[in-house]
């Protein structure tokens, strides 16, 4: 039997976290079109802090796999300018991030800095897996955001529209090549679960005070 790839194991090992995030008041309000715009911008602001640290550290920590082939991390994965473009768009409309999730984002950044100080590249790439996967999922969510806030084109959703299947395939192929050994895979999986814990904390902070969306009315029975 063929051994599972690191991405297959990551998907299976983090499914519980993924499902829990989809069930949060923040996510439910987003798909219902009732999420206050300040909360959406608050998520962008929190992720900007995280991405600034993660992408910066990934650019500095040496990648041993680059000697044997393509490194997992490369400039084509950079997303910080996209999220900054979104924040600038909303700032131009007078919408700034609320007080939510700053502390939780800083806690994530502290973990990133420590992993980088330890030259723990597998952990940093486990964190990247979660952040990269979040924008693949955002492809499903961005129409709700565009409709709720009446956004033209990609204004305000550059980050949410940055994922695509080809990009994901390139990234996961690199991950599978770099982490074929079971021991290395375990490191990445453990880190990915930590990253999900941090993103859950950010989403939880952004969910505080949100009411569950009202259920749609039942259809009137025909007579």
């Amino acid at each position: 039997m063929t051994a599972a790839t690191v991405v297959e194991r990551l998907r299976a090992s983090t499914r519980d976290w993924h499902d829990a995030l989809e069930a949060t008041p923040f996510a439910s309000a987003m798909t219902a079109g009732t999420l206050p715009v300040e909360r959406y911008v608050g998520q962008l602001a929190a992720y900007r802090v995280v991405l600034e640290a993660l992408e910066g550290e990934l650019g500095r920590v040496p990648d041993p796999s680059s000697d044997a082939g393509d490194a997992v991390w490369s400039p084509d994965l950079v997303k910080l300018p996209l999220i900054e473009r979104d924040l600038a768009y909303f700032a131009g409309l007078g919408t700034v991030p609320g007080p939510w999730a700053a502390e939780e984002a800083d806690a994530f950044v502290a973990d990133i800095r420590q992993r980088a100080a330890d030259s723990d590249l597998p952990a940093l790439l486990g964190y990247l897996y979660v952040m990269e996967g979040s924008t693949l999922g955002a492809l499903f969510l961005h129409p709700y955001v565009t409709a709720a806030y009446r956004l033209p084109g990609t204004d305000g959703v550059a980050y949410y529209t940055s994922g695509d299947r080809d990009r994901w395939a390139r990234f996961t192929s690199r991950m599978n090549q770099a982490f074929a050994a079971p021991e290395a895979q375990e490191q990445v999986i453990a880190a990915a679960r930590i990253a999900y814990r941090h993103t859950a904390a950010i989403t939880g902070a952004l969910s505080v005070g949100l009411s569950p969306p009202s259920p749609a009315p039942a259809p009137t029975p025909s007579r």
Side-chain angles (χ1 to χ4, degrees), residues 149-173:
Y149 310 134
R150 299 179 181 179
L151 301 174
T154 59
D155 287 341
V157 286
Y159 178 70
Y160 263 52
T161 55
S162 62
D164 63 64
R165 293 292 175 183
D166 289 341
R167 176 192 176 100
W168 180 249
R170 292 193 302 272
F171 170 67
T172 55
S173 176

mmCIF file of all heavy atoms in Angstrom, residues 149-173:
data_model
loop_
_atom_site.group_PDB
_atom_site.id
_atom_site.type_symbol
_atom_site.label_atom_id
_atom_site.label_comp_id
_atom_site.label_asym_id
_atom_site.label_seq_id
_atom_site.Cartn_x
_atom_site.Cartn_y
_atom_site.Cartn_z
ATOM 1 N N TYR A 149 -21.107 43.566 1.163
ATOM 2 C CA TYR A 149 -20.551 44.918 1.273
ATOM 3 C C TYR A 149 -20.588 45.683 -0.057
ATOM 4 O O TYR A 149 -20.023 46.765 -0.171
ATOM 5 C CB TYR A 149 -19.108 44.844 1.799
ATOM 6 C CG TYR A 149 -18.991 43.993 3.047
ATOM 7 C CD1 TYR A 149 -17.972 43.050 3.175
ATOM 8 C CD2 TYR A 149 -19.913 44.110 4.087
ATOM 9 C CE1 TYR A 149 -17.878 42.264 4.311
ATOM 10 C CE2 TYR A 149 -19.819 43.322 5.223
ATOM 11 C CZ TYR A 149 -18.803 42.390 5.329
ATOM 12 O OH TYR A 149 -18.708 41.600 6.441
ATOM 13 N N ARG A 150 -21.228 45.065 -1.061
ATOM 14 C CA ARG A 150 -21.400 45.688 -2.383
ATOM 15 C C ARG A 150 -20.053 46.152 -2.945
ATOM 16 O O ARG A 150 -19.879 47.307 -3.336
ATOM 17 C CB ARG A 150 -22.383 46.854 -2.287
ATOM 18 C CG ARG A 150 -23.765 46.421 -1.821
ATOM 19 C CD ARG A 150 -24.726 47.569 -1.703
ATOM 20 N NE ARG A 150 -26.032 47.104 -1.242
ATOM 21 C CZ ARG A 150 -27.087 47.902 -1.020
ATOM 22 N NH1 ARG A 150 -26.975 49.206 -1.246
ATOM 23 N NH2 ARG A 150 -28.218 47.411 -0.581
ATOM 24 N N LEU A 151 -19.145 45.213 -3.004
ATOM 25 C CA LEU A 151 -17.789 45.526 -3.445
ATOM 26 C C LEU A 151 -17.677 45.388 -4.963
ATOM 27 O O LEU A 151 -18.140 44.400 -5.539
ATOM 28 C CB LEU A 151 -16.783 44.586 -2.772
ATOM 29 C CG LEU A 151 -16.781 44.620 -1.239
ATOM 30 C CD1 LEU A 151 -15.839 43.545 -0.693
ATOM 31 C CD2 LEU A 151 -16.360 45.987 -0.730
ATOM 32 N N PRO A 152 -17.025 46.340 -5.615
ATOM 33 C CA PRO A 152 -16.837 46.250 -7.072
ATOM 34 C C PRO A 152 -15.605 45.429 -7.432
ATOM 35 O O PRO A 152 -14.515 45.657 -6.900
ATOM 36 C CB PRO A 152 -16.661 47.718 -7.481
ATOM 37 C CG PRO A 152 -16.042 48.366 -6.275
ATOM 38 C CD PRO A 152 -16.574 47.637 -5.073
ATOM 39 N N GLY A 153 -15.754 44.478 -8.309
ATOM 40 C CA GLY A 153 -14.605 43.691 -8.760
ATOM 41 C C GLY A 153 -13.903 42.987 -7.620
ATOM 42 O O GLY A 153 -14.537 42.318 -6.801
ATOM 43 N N THR A 154 -12.581 43.155 -7.568
ATOM 44 C CA THR A 154 -11.805 42.534 -6.487
ATOM 45 C C THR A 154 -11.450 43.535 -5.396
ATOM 46 O O THR A 154 -10.659 43.209 -4.506
ATOM 47 C CB THR A 154 -10.508 41.908 -7.044
ATOM 48 O OG1 THR A 154 -9.717 42.925 -7.676
ATOM 49 C CG2 THR A 154 -10.818 40.801 -8.033
ATOM 50 N N ASP A 155 -12.033 44.743 -5.426
ATOM 51 C CA ASP A 155 -11.774 45.711 -4.368
ATOM 52 C C ASP A 155 -12.239 45.140 -3.031
ATOM 53 O O ASP A 155 -13.397 44.722 -2.887
ATOM 54 C CB ASP A 155 -12.518 47.027 -4.635
ATOM 55 C CG ASP A 155 -11.895 47.823 -5.771
ATOM 56 O OD1 ASP A 155 -10.728 47.567 -6.104
ATOM 57 O OD2 ASP A 155 -12.587 48.697 -6.319
ATOM 58 N N GLY A 156 -11.321 45.120 -2.065
ATOM 59 C CA GLY A 156 -11.667 44.619 -0.740
ATOM 60 C C GLY A 156 -11.613 43.118 -0.593
ATOM 61 O O GLY A 156 -11.745 42.594 0.524
ATOM 62 N N VAL A 157 -11.421 42.387 -1.693
ATOM 63 C CA VAL A 157 -11.362 40.921 -1.621
ATOM 64 C C VAL A 157 -10.141 40.373 -2.373
ATOM 65 O O VAL A 157 -10.148 39.227 -2.831
ATOM 66 C CB VAL A 157 -12.648 40.255 -2.158
ATOM 67 C CG1 VAL A 157 -13.794 40.406 -1.180
ATOM 68 C CG2 VAL A 157 -13.019 40.793 -3.536
ATOM 69 N N ALA A 158 -9.090 41.173 -2.500
ATOM 70 C CA ALA A 158 -7.884 40.691 -3.185
ATOM 71 C C ALA A 158 -7.310 39.471 -2.466
ATOM 72 O O ALA A 158 -6.870 38.504 -3.098
ATOM 73 C CB ALA A 158 -6.840 41.806 -3.262
ATOM 74 N N TYR A 159 -7.316 39.511 -1.142
ATOM 75 C CA TYR A 159 -6.809 38.370 -0.368
ATOM 76 C C TYR A 159 -7.742 37.176 -0.505
ATOM 77 O O TYR A 159 -7.300 36.048 -0.713
ATOM 78 C CB TYR A 159 -6.664 38.764 1.099
ATOM 79 C CG TYR A 159 -6.188 37.644 1.997
ATOM 80 C CD1 TYR A 159 -4.889 37.161 1.910
ATOM 81 C CD2 TYR A 159 -7.042 37.065 2.934
ATOM 82 C CE1 TYR A 159 -4.445 36.119 2.723
ATOM 83 C CE2 TYR A 159 -6.608 36.038 3.758
ATOM 84 C CZ TYR A 159 -5.317 35.568 3.650
ATOM 85 O OH TYR A 159 -4.887 34.541 4.458
ATOM 86 N N TYR A 160 -9.029 37.413 -0.430
ATOM 87 C CA TYR A 160 -10.012 36.326 -0.497
ATOM 88 C C TYR A 160 -10.099 35.690 -1.880
ATOM 89 O O TYR A 160 -10.638 34.599 -2.029
ATOM 90 C CB TYR A 160 -11.386 36.842 -0.072
ATOM 91 C CG TYR A 160 -11.726 36.571 1.376
ATOM 92 C CD1 TYR A 160 -10.856 36.944 2.397
ATOM 93 C CD2 TYR A 160 -12.913 35.944 1.740
ATOM 94 C CE1 TYR A 160 -11.160 36.701 3.723
ATOM 95 C CE2 TYR A 160 -13.232 35.691 3.067
ATOM 96 C CZ TYR A 160 -12.349 36.076 4.062
ATOM 97 O OH TYR A 160 -12.647 35.828 5.378
ATOM 98 N N THR A 161 -9.601 36.352 -2.889
ATOM 99 C CA THR A 161 -9.633 35.780 -4.243
ATOM 100 C C THR A 161 -8.247 35.338 -4.719
ATOM 101 O O THR A 161 -8.055 35.070 -5.895
ATOM 102 C CB THR A 161 -10.210 36.793 -5.247
ATOM 103 O OG1 THR A 161 -9.463 38.012 -5.190
ATOM 104 C CG2 THR A 161 -11.671 37.084 -4.955
ATOM 105 N N SER A 162 -7.290 35.245 -3.776
ATOM 106 C CA SER A 162 -5.909 34.940 -4.170
ATOM 107 C C SER A 162 -5.629 33.451 -4.297
ATOM 108 O O SER A 162 -4.613 33.053 -4.865
ATOM 109 C CB SER A 162 -4.924 35.546 -3.165
ATOM 110 O OG SER A 162 -5.123 34.993 -1.867
ATOM 111 N N GLY A 163 -6.498 32.623 -3.794
ATOM 112 C CA GLY A 163 -6.277 31.180 -3.917
ATOM 113 C C GLY A 163 -6.838 30.640 -5.215
ATOM 114 O O GLY A 163 -7.809 31.172 -5.749
ATOM 115 N N ASP A 164 -6.229 29.605 -5.728
ATOM 116 C CA ASP A 164 -6.785 28.896 -6.877
ATOM 117 C C ASP A 164 -6.221 27.488 -6.892
ATOM 118 O O ASP A 164 -5.236 27.180 -6.213
ATOM 119 C CB ASP A 164 -6.514 29.630 -8.196
ATOM 120 C CG ASP A 164 -5.028 29.732 -8.524
ATOM 121 O OD1 ASP A 164 -4.388 28.688 -8.743
ATOM 122 O OD2 ASP A 164 -4.504 30.862 -8.552
ATOM 123 N N ARG A 165 -6.859 26.629 -7.648
ATOM 124 C CA ARG A 165 -6.487 25.201 -7.639
ATOM 125 C C ARG A 165 -5.067 24.978 -8.158
ATOM 126 O O ARG A 165 -4.341 24.116 -7.654
ATOM 127 C CB ARG A 165 -7.489 24.412 -8.471
ATOM 128 C CG ARG A 165 -8.891 24.370 -7.879
ATOM 129 C CD ARG A 165 -8.938 23.555 -6.608
ATOM 130 N NE ARG A 165 -10.254 23.610 -5.969
ATOM 131 C CZ ARG A 165 -10.538 23.034 -4.806
ATOM 132 N NH1 ARG A 165 -9.601 22.391 -4.151
ATOM 133 N NH2 ARG A 165 -11.744 23.133 -4.287
ATOM 134 N N ASP A 166 -4.658 25.727 -9.172
ATOM 135 C CA ASP A 166 -3.308 25.554 -9.703
ATOM 136 C C ASP A 166 -2.260 25.955 -8.675
ATOM 137 O O ASP A 166 -1.247 25.260 -8.494
ATOM 138 C CB ASP A 166 -3.125 26.388 -10.980
ATOM 139 C CG ASP A 166 -3.900 25.823 -12.150
ATOM 140 O OD1 ASP A 166 -4.281 24.638 -12.098
ATOM 141 O OD2 ASP A 166 -4.136 26.574 -13.112
ATOM 142 N N ARG A 167 -2.487 27.060 -8.015
ATOM 143 C CA ARG A 167 -1.569 27.523 -6.977
ATOM 144 C C ARG A 167 -1.474 26.482 -5.861
ATOM 145 O O ARG A 167 -0.390 26.147 -5.391
ATOM 146 C CB ARG A 167 -2.064 28.867 -6.437
ATOM 147 C CG ARG A 167 -1.267 29.429 -5.270
ATOM 148 C CD ARG A 167 -1.995 30.604 -4.630
ATOM 149 N NE ARG A 167 -1.304 31.093 -3.460
ATOM 150 C CZ ARG A 167 -0.520 32.163 -3.444
ATOM 151 N NH1 ARG A 167 -0.339 32.855 -4.536
ATOM 152 N NH2 ARG A 167 0.070 32.542 -2.334
ATOM 153 N N TRP A 168 -2.632 25.986 -5.425
ATOM 154 C CA TRP A 168 -2.672 24.986 -4.363
ATOM 155 C C TRP A 168 -1.949 23.710 -4.797
ATOM 156 O O TRP A 168 -1.219 23.105 -4.017
ATOM 157 C CB TRP A 168 -4.119 24.692 -3.996
ATOM 158 C CG TRP A 168 -4.301 23.682 -2.902
ATOM 159 C CD1 TRP A 168 -4.820 22.422 -3.025
ATOM 160 C CD2 TRP A 168 -3.973 23.844 -1.514
ATOM 161 N NE1 TRP A 168 -4.834 21.793 -1.812
ATOM 162 C CE2 TRP A 168 -4.332 22.639 -0.866
ATOM 163 C CE3 TRP A 168 -3.414 24.875 -0.771
ATOM 164 C CZ2 TRP A 168 -4.140 22.443 0.512
ATOM 165 C CZ3 TRP A 168 -3.222 24.689 0.601
ATOM 166 C CH2 TRP A 168 -3.583 23.488 1.224
ATOM 167 N N ALA A 169 -2.125 23.304 -6.044
ATOM 168 C CA ALA A 169 -1.466 22.094 -6.535
ATOM 169 C C ALA A 169 0.056 22.256 -6.528
ATOM 170 O O ALA A 169 0.785 21.320 -6.172
ATOM 171 C CB ALA A 169 -1.955 21.764 -7.946
ATOM 172 N N ARG A 170 0.543 23.429 -6.922
ATOM 173 C CA ARG A 170 1.992 23.663 -6.899
ATOM 174 C C ARG A 170 2.529 23.613 -5.466
ATOM 175 O O ARG A 170 3.563 23.007 -5.205
ATOM 176 C CB ARG A 170 2.326 25.011 -7.542
ATOM 177 C CG ARG A 170 2.082 25.091 -9.028
ATOM 178 C CD ARG A 170 2.728 26.336 -9.638
ATOM 179 N NE ARG A 170 2.251 27.572 -9.035
ATOM 180 C CZ ARG A 170 1.176 28.240 -9.459
ATOM 181 N NH1 ARG A 170 0.459 27.764 -10.476
ATOM 182 N NH2 ARG A 170 0.814 29.367 -8.876
ATOM 183 N N PHE A 171 1.810 24.265 -4.575
ATOM 184 C CA PHE A 171 2.241 24.305 -3.182
ATOM 185 C C PHE A 171 2.237 22.908 -2.561
ATOM 186 O O PHE A 171 3.210 22.493 -1.919
ATOM 187 C CB PHE A 171 1.319 25.237 -2.382
ATOM 188 C CG PHE A 171 1.521 25.172 -0.898
ATOM 189 C CD1 PHE A 171 2.702 25.623 -0.318
ATOM 190 C CD2 PHE A 171 0.535 24.653 -0.071
ATOM 191 C CE1 PHE A 171 2.899 25.549 1.054
ATOM 192 C CE2 PHE A 171 0.721 24.580 1.299
ATOM 193 C CZ PHE A 171 1.907 25.030 1.864
ATOM 194 N N THR A 172 1.161 22.164 -2.744
ATOM 195 C CA THR A 172 1.077 20.847 -2.115
ATOM 196 C C THR A 172 2.074 19.863 -2.727
ATOM 197 O O THR A 172 2.587 18.980 -2.038
ATOM 198 C CB THR A 172 -0.348 20.282 -2.202
ATOM 199 O OG1 THR A 172 -0.786 20.272 -3.570
ATOM 200 C CG2 THR A 172 -1.298 21.114 -1.364
ATOM 201 N N SER A 173 2.362 20.017 -4.017
ATOM 202 C CA SER A 173 3.377 19.168 -4.636
ATOM 203 C C SER A 173 4.744 19.394 -3.990
ATOM 204 O O SER A 173 5.480 18.446 -3.694
ATOM 205 C CB SER A 173 3.443 19.437 -6.138
ATOM 206 O OG SER A 173 4.489 18.699 -6.741
#
